Amino acid sequence: MALVVQKFGGTSVGSIERIRNVAKRVAETYDAGNQLVVVVSAMSGETNKLVALAHEICEFPDSREYDVLVSSGEQVTVALLAMCLKSMGYKAKSYLGHQVPIITDSAFSKARIDRICDKKVRKDLDNGTIIIAAGFQGVDKEGNISTLGRGGSDTSAVALAAALKADVCDIYTDVYGVYTTDPNICSDARKIERISYDEMLELASLGAKVLQIRSVEFAKKYNVDVHVRSSFNDNPGTLVTKEDKEMESILVSGITYAKDETKIAVMRVPDKPGIAAKLLSPLSAANISVDMIVQNASEDGFTDFTFTVCKADFKKALMITKEAAGEINAGDILTDENISKISIVGLGMRSHAGVATKMFETLAAEGINIQMISTSEIKISVVIDAKYTELAVRVLHDAFGLAAKDVKAE
Ligand code: ASP
Ligand code: MG
């Protein structure tokens, strides 16, 4: 007998008819002889509605009450699904976060799970009950309701799978899996069969639409195999799992883009020790994270210092930088809000030379200028003019042989 955790997202439980379909799928898995914990999100759109209600009351709603409110969407779906299964003759029982309990810290709206007490759930599983657990929510040590951040039901599912040492953690969603790039840009993007935790984390901008990133961190830490798959068919999706030799042989697994960055360049910065800290520490003090940084070679004792911040932080970052630049007698400040960051990700980069060169040559052949570059062990990112985003993604996807047709031809 296997212990299976299945998570269904908002779209999959978006109507009564869909909840009935989920119940059928759950019943099939149970009838096949498995123990089953089902984690559900709120019906699609419900959490957004609750968030909007909170903001109708005031601009900065109290964070404790905010979590009491936004966690309520999941209370509806666990009850409906449990009712449905019971009406079909199955033993089922809904569990809210505090009933499990899933203990978190008190960082309301972005709480982290500290531990899960599995005693009650185990007892119910052992007497043949199907557990229907509310995603997204937990309880802090004082008994306050907490939520895990938007998309947090994925993390609930992975955490429950880890705590219960489940054999399978299936995340049913409204896409077929993780793709080599955004299929809206490349119609020949391919579903990735298996991907390592680290690649999935680096593919964040792609992956975040599929899995909450925190759930991947959790899966990595506790070694949970996560199977992301469609709730509308039975096809296998993408398995997010430990890396192995075969994955290392693939140079590039995926290509992502992010259009939400902006560039700030401080010209004629006196080239002396400590200037990077002087420019950047006021930003970190304001909780603004800087992504890429480039400092040009010094000419007559001056250098240009360029960095990127996300669009949401741009105005504040510019204000702070102007002040800091004034203090160190730097020159003008130039900005560019029309940039995008293109990244290629793959475990194979660790052991194969020439991946960066191929990326740069491919972009050069299209006349796309690279403004900034940054690398990690398994990722290369470049900043380019935003108007070339789609073109860059397409030519790189082709150059690294990621299209469905390339794989079939092998
Ligand atoms: N209902 C929550 C949200 O919309 C949690 C989730 O769906 O995972 O963010
Ligand atoms: Mg989701």
Side-chain angles (χ1 to χ4, degrees):
M1 188 191 294
L3 173 52
V4 178
V5 172
Q6 293 184 336
K7 180 252 167 179
F8 293 90
T11 318
S12 313
V13 293
S15 67
I16 293 299
E17 192 196 335
R18 287 189 173 173
I19 289 176
R20 284 194 205 284
N21 282 334
V22 167
K24 264 191 228 141
R25 198 180 271 264
V26 168
E28 272 167 30
T29 311
Y30 181 84
D31 289 340
N34 299 297
Q35 289 188 322
L36 201 58
V37 175
V38 183
V39 177
V40 287
S41 296
M43 293 168 100
S44 54
E46 283 307 310
T47 311
N48 287 346
K49 266 190 218 157
L50 295 166
V51 170
L53 285 177
H55 289 117
E56 266 184 54
I57 291 284
C58 62
E59 199 184 341
F60 301 108
D62 176 83
S63 56
R64 179 188 184 276
E65 306 314 331
Y66 178 89
D67 278 10
V68 172
L69 176 72
V70 299
S71 61
S72 64
E74 274 72 10
Q75 181 160 351
V76 173
T77 44
V78 283
L80 289 172
L81 182 57
M83 265 175 209
C84 187
L85 282 160
K86 282 179 175 169
S87 75
M88 290 158 66
Y90 289 87
K91 263 209 246 180
K93 183 169 164 187
S94 65
Y95 269 92
L96 297 176
H98 69 88
Q99 293 173 315
V100 175
I102 296 175
I103 315 274
T104 71
D105 61 18
S106 305
F108 296 119
S109 84
K110 47 179 179 301
R112 283 186 179 267
I113 298 177
D114 286 335
R115 67 198 160 85
I116 292 180
C117 311
D118 62 350
K119 234 165 100 198
K120 276 194 269 173
V121 167
R122 258 196 208 286
K123 201 169 149 215
D124 274 332
L125 283 172
D126 288 341
N127 70 33
T129 305
I130 301 172
I131 308 295
I132 315 291
F136 184 47
Q137 51 174 268
V139 61
D140 76 0
K141 281 190 221 64
E142 278 72 51
N144 299 303
I145 291 175
S146 56
T147 63
L148 310 178
R150 295 306 305 270
S153 300
D154 296 331
T155 303
S156 311
V158 173
L160 278 163
L164 295 163
K165 299 192 176 55
D167 300 284
V168 184
C169 181
D170 278 334
I171 306 276
Y172 287 96
T173 176
D174 53 0
V175 294
Y176 297 117
V178 182
Y179 278 72
T180 48
T181 195
D182 182 349
N184 293 318
I185 291 187
C186 288
S187 56
D188 56 2
R190 183 172 46 84
K191 188 173 71 196
I192 301 172
E193 268 171 47
R194 293 164 70 249
I195 192 162
S196 68
Y197 299 120
D198 285 330
E199 285 170 301
M200 189 68 193
L201 290 170
E202 291 284 16
L203 286 173
S205 62
L206 259 189
K209 291 173 209 153
V210 186
L211 277 183
Q212 195 199 34
I213 284 310
R214 222 182 243 185
S215 72
V216 184
E217 291 165 358
F218 218 100
K220 182 182 172 189
K221 189 163 165 197
Y222 294 99
N223 238 321
V224 179
D225 279 355
V226 178
H227 186 186
V228 183
R229 57 194 304 186
S230 165
S231 60
F232 303 119
N233 66 34
D234 285 324
N235 300 340
T238 300
L239 188 68
V240 188
T241 184
K242 253 200 328 276
E243 65 180 77
D244 58 31
K245 281 260 140 43
E246 203 187 313
M247 291 179 185
E248 288 234 6
S249 66
I250 300 168
L251 283 189
V252 172
S253 318
I255 298 175
T256 72
Y257 62 96
K259 288 183 172 173
D260 61 348
E261 293 207 30
T262 57
K263 193 169 78 173
I264 298 180
V266 188
M267 314 308 282
R268 285 190 73 75
V269 175
D271 195 9
K272 330 190 262 237
I275 55 120
K278 283 218 172 85
L279 282 171
L280 298 180
S281 47
L283 292 170
S284 60
N287 234 332
I288 295 175
S289 36
V290 169
D291 183 20
M292 288 202 200
I293 302 170
V294 171
Q295 189 186 336
N296 291 341
S298 170
E299 232 179 87
D300 56 26
F302 292 96
T303 173
D304 298 339
F305 192 90
T306 310
F307 55 88
T308 62
V309 296
C310 74
K311 276 208 168 100
D313 289 332
F314 176 69
K315 278 205 183 115
K316 200 163 160 199
L318 183 58
M319 214 175 68
I320 292 172
T321 305
K322 275 188 179 152
E323 215 181 292
E327 277 167 23
I328 56 168
N329 288 319
D332 291 344
I333 295 180
L334 309 180
T335 61
D336 189 348
E337 293 179 72
N338 292 311
I339 57 166
S340 77
K341 181 170 79 172
I342 313 287
S343 307
I344 61 175
V345 175
L347 287 182
M349 277 181 214
R350 270 194 215 137
S351 43
H352 295 78
V355 178
T357 312
K358 186 165 178 177
M359 179 185 201
F360 304 155
E361 281 172 359
T362 305
L363 295 173
E366 297 296 326
I368 300 173
N369 186 38
I370 298 172
Q371 304 176 12
M372 299 171 94
I373 301 169
S374 79
T375 63
S376 79
E377 221 193 359
I378 61 165
K379 176 166 97 166
I380 305 167
S381 301
V382 297
V383 166
I384 60 168
D385 188 328
K387 71 174 181 244
Y388 296 122
T389 309
E390 281 76 13
L391 176 63
V393 168
R394 271 189 215 118
V395 293
L396 290 171
H397 196 257
D398 265 356
F400 287 102
L402 296 182
K405 65 173 185 331
D406 296 325
V407 171
K408 270 184 213 126
E410 263 174 12

